[in-house]
Amino acid sequence: MATRVACIGECMMELSERPDGSLLRGYGGDTLNTALYLARLGVAVDYVTALGDDPWSEEMLAAWAAEGVGTAQVRRLPGRMPGLYIIRTDDKGERSFHYWRDSAAARDLFSGPGAAETRAALADYDLVYASGISLSLYGEAGRGALAETCRAVQARGGRVAFDTNYRPRGWPDKAKAQSAFRDAMAAADLIFASSEDLEWLYGPEGEEEVLRHHGRCEIVLKGSGSPPSVRVLAGSDDVTVPASPVAAVVDTTAAGDSFAAAYMAARLAGRPPAAAAACGHRLAGAVIGHRGAVIPRSAMPDLPLA
Ligand code: ADP
C-alpha cells in the first residue's frame, strides 16, 4: 500500500495589492506548499486543516484537489472563514505582509466538534508533517492534542516530521515558542531546522537545541549563506550537502517548504539522506527562480527519486 502523508497547518487567502490599489486573489501557507509539492512528486498526501463554509474556502479546496492534494481531512466549520493576508509592495519593491487570522477556522482543528475524528484519522497516516507555524495556531490545549496524536501515529509505526518555521508574530511571547519547539523537536522522528530560526529562537547556541537529538532522529539542518548548505545527520552519518548556485534568485517564498517536500519524497522512495538533500536543493532552486510559492508545472525539475 502507498505511504500516506498528512500535512497539518493553515492555508490563508492571499490578496496581493497592485499599484492601482486593486487586489489579486490567491492563497498561501507553508504546510500547504509542502503538501502541494509532495503531490506533484507523486506522494499520496492529504492536507489536514479546517476551513469555513464560504465560497473562498470552497475555491481553495477545489484548487488543492486540482493539484492532487487529498482534501478528505479538511474540516468545514459552519459560519467560520479562512485567515487572510494582504501583501503590499512599496515603490522599492519591498513586500510587507498584513494578517487577519486570529479567528481563522484552521485554529480550531484540535478543538470543538469533529476534533476527535480528525485525531483518530491522523493516527492512521505513515508520516505526519507539521511546522512551527502549525504549532502557533493551536494554543496550549491544541498543541497537547497534536502531541498526543503524534504519539498515536508513532505507536502504530508511523513517523512524525517537524519543520522549524519560526514566525515571532504567531506567538504571544518567545518563551512559549521556545518550549513548544523544544517539545516538538523532542517528539519528532525527522527535523528540518533552519539555523536562522534556531538562532532567533534560542540565541547563538541555537543549533545545540536540535543537535542534542542526533542519533535519536534524522536531522536536516539548513544553513544560511548563498548558496546555502544543509547538514544531514542520520544514524551515524553526518554529511554536508551544498546547494548549487541559482542563476537568478527571483523570490525565496516556499524555498524551505519545497525543500522539505522533495527531501521527504526522496526518503519515502528509499533514497539515502544525502541524495534526498540534493533533491531538496534541486526543487528549492527551481522554486526560488520563479515568482510566488508555486511554480508552473512545466518548471518542475526531474528529480532522481527512484
Ligand atoms: P526558508 O527560509 O524558506 O526555510 P532556506 O533559506 O532554508 O528557506 O532555504 C531552503 C533551501 O532553498 C535551501 O536549502 C536551498 O536548497 C534553497 N536556497 C535558498 N537560497 C538559495 C540560494 N541563494 N541559492 C541556491 N539555493 C538556495
Side-chain angles (χ1 to χ4, degrees), residues 165 194 222 226-228 230 243-246 249 252 255-257 259 280-281 284-285 288:
N165 259 343
S194 106
K222 295 177 289 173
S226 185
V230 299
S244 300
V246 169
V249 177
T252 58
D257 311 335
F259 179 95
H281 285 319
I288 64 178

